[in-house]
């Protein structure tokens, strides 16, 4: 599998970027394909937390459950899909820039495919994500720099 990786610099601190990105309720605000997202337990995100995400890919809505497998506050995270024919594997890192006044966000995504996903991933999902990821990061940058919290 070949990962898709994109980075963007954001004029907000790593703590602010991390706080916004790690709130699942914000996913539909900055990710085009995210229709809805919610944490499946109370309390802050932690290793083992699960997130239910519904994405629209083409004309289909695809529900999925993601599990937090790594989490270093304000620095990095790793989510892994647990169900469905297309299971995302998402890694994120935030590097401080300018003594922590700005941040470099890097997102890296790959997919496991099961059943029909073996056809969907190479021909539909990956091409869609390659186009969407840079737009998502630009939209996140705009939201963050205009004061989103």
């Amino acid at each position: 599998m070949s990962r898709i990786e994109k980075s963007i610099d954001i004029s907000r601190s790593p703590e602010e970027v991390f706080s916004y990105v790690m709130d699942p309720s914000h996913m539909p605000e900055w990710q085009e394909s995210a229709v809805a997202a919610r944490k499946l337990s109370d309390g802050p995100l932690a290793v083992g937390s699960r997130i239910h995400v519904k994405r629209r890919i083409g004309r289909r809505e695809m529900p999925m459950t993601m599990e937090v497998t790594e989490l270093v506050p304000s620095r990095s995270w790793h989510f892994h899909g647990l169900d469905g024919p297309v299971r995302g594997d998402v890694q994120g890192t935030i590097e401080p820039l300018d003594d922590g006044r700005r941040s470099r966000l890097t997102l890296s995504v790959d997919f496991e495919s099961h059943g029909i996903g073996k056809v969907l991933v190479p021909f539909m999902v990956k091409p869609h994500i390659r186009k969407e990821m840079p737009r998502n990061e630009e939209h996140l940058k705009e939201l963050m720099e205009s004061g989103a919290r």
Side-chain angles (χ1 to χ4, degrees):
M1 292 188 266
S2 59
R3 296 191 76 79
I4 300 167
E5 185 173 294
K6 300 288 179 202
S7 296
I8 194 161
D9 292 355
I10 300 173
S11 293
R12 295 293 286 267
S13 72
E15 295 77 18
E16 291 171 297
V17 174
F18 184 85
S19 176
Y20 187 82
V21 171
M22 289 294 100
D23 182 339
S25 69
H26 291 303
M27 277 187 191
E29 295 171 6
W30 66 278
Q31 295 181 18
E32 285 178 15
S33 64
V35 175
R38 63 183 172 82
K39 196 159 67 75
L40 296 177
S41 60
D42 293 330
L45 275 183
V47 171
S49 294
R50 292 185 177 186
I51 302 166
H52 182 265
V53 182
K54 187 183 296 183
R55 292 192 178 277
R56 181 172 291 117
I57 305 292
R59 295 183 188 160
R60 298 187 66 187
E61 283 191 5
M62 301 173 72
M64 61 191 71
T65 303
M66 305 288 291
E67 183 175 51
V68 179
T69 58
E70 293 176 31
L71 190 65
V72 179
S74 301
R75 297 291 179 241
S76 63
W77 63 92
H78 188 172
F79 295 170
H80 188 75
L82 299 176
D83 54 13
V86 176
R87 299 176 191 179
D89 187 77
V90 181
Q91 293 178 304
T93 60
I94 301 173
E95 298 171 60
L97 304 172
D98 297 332
D99 295 321
R101 290 186 300 276
R102 297 185 322 113
S103 304
R104 176 165 296 132
L105 171 69
T106 301
L107 297 176
S108 174
V109 179
D110 206 350
F111 302 93
E112 267 182 37
S113 54
H114 301 269
I116 187 75
K118 291 183 187 291
V119 174
L120 293 175
V121 167
F123 297 109
M124 189 174 194
V125 176
K126 277 197 170 188
H128 179 86
I129 296 302
R130 275 192 185 91
K131 291 177 186 173
E132 182 181 322
M133 262 181 73
R135 292 191 304 257
N136 288 347
E137 286 186 347
E138 282 295 332
H139 192 65
L140 176 64
K141 176 182 174 77
E142 289 169 14
L143 285 169
M144 293 295 306
E145 290 180 357
S146 69
R149 295 206 184 243

